[in-house]
Amino acid sequence: MRVLVGCEFSGVVRDEFIKRGHDAWSCDILPSETNQARHIQKDVRTVLTEEWDLGIFFPPCTHLCVSGARWFKNKKEEQQQALDFVSRLLVSPIKHICIENPVGVISTKIRKPDQIIQPYQFGHGEQKTTCLWLKHLLVLKPTKIVSVREQRIWKLPPSPNRGMERSRTFQGIAEAMAHQWGTILES
């Protein structure tokens, strides 16, 4: 199966699909932290019309998530551009699609998410409410619910890499995506 993981610099999700034998590629305007040979460094919109079976997208949440709501009135144009970007991903010709983003304006301006997940449902003792908008995909089933529920991501101190660290996909969620969605063409 050909998998496009858009707006992913870390390679976490891409690498889980590769481990399961898929032809998986990450695409981001940033270079990949790992496996440059399986990374397309450009705007993901330029590769949407290639032959992909599954697209998993992590659009930047800067102008979309509710944690930045106090600045929404001053960045209406940026927010509309971000919403247009998400809409473009959702209507791409890829049959199976997941859009991942925190709670925010996608829910009110485009549509409600199909699923809301937490890292603690996938083996991480952390809380980070994450929405999934799905197209021709089943909701993810929790794989390992843990009782510790810390808000480590929210508490990260200011730093030049804070945004990148906050956007990194948890390993357990990446494994669940690859394991559960990696068989969609078999059914």
Side-chain angles (χ1 to χ4, degrees), residues 23-52:
D23 181 17
W25 294 80
S26 56
C27 181
D28 198 296
I29 57 174
L30 298 173
S32 179
E33 291 179 333
T34 62
N35 198 353
Q36 284 294 336
R38 297 298 238 152
H39 183 72
I40 305 162
Q41 189 175 344
K42 57 170 70 172
D43 186 323
V44 71
R45 291 172 287 196
T46 65
V47 298
L48 291 176
T49 57
E50 293 180 20
E51 303 246 347
W52 303 104

Side-chain angles (χ1 to χ4, degrees), residues 105-175:
V105 298
I106 297 172
S107 299
T108 54
K109 305 279 184 173
I110 296 177
R111 68 175 171 92
K112 297 222 178 289
D114 297 288
Q115 183 176 17
I116 297 175
I117 60 173
Q118 292 281 354
Y120 62 73
Q121 296 173 303
F122 301 91
H124 300 276
E126 298 183 41
Q127 198 171 331
K128 181 184 178 196
T129 306
T130 304
C131 300
L132 303 178
W133 289 265
L134 307 172
K135 178 177 156 187
H136 299 123
L137 289 171
L138 296 174
V139 296
L140 287 176
K141 295 177 187 153
T143 56
K144 182 181 178 188
I145 298 175
V146 296
S147 59
V148 178
R149 300 191 180 161
E150 177 190 356
Q151 289 193 345
R152 181 189 66 83
I153 299 297
W154 182 76
K155 294 177 183 176
L156 283 173
S159 77
N161 296 329
R162 184 173 191 259
M164 292 173 77
E165 289 306 314
R166 286 175 56 106
S167 69
R168 189 177 307 281
T169 302
F170 287 87
Q171 187 65 41
I173 294 172
E175 290 169 2

Side-chain angles (χ1 to χ4, degrees), residues 78-97:
E78 293 92 338
Q79 186 176 84
Q80 188 56 55
Q81 289 172 352
L83 287 165
D84 292 346
F85 181 70
V86 170
S87 293
R88 175 67 185 99
L89 297 173
L90 277 169
V91 300
S92 73
I94 302 169
K95 182 174 182 181
H96 305 280
I97 293 176

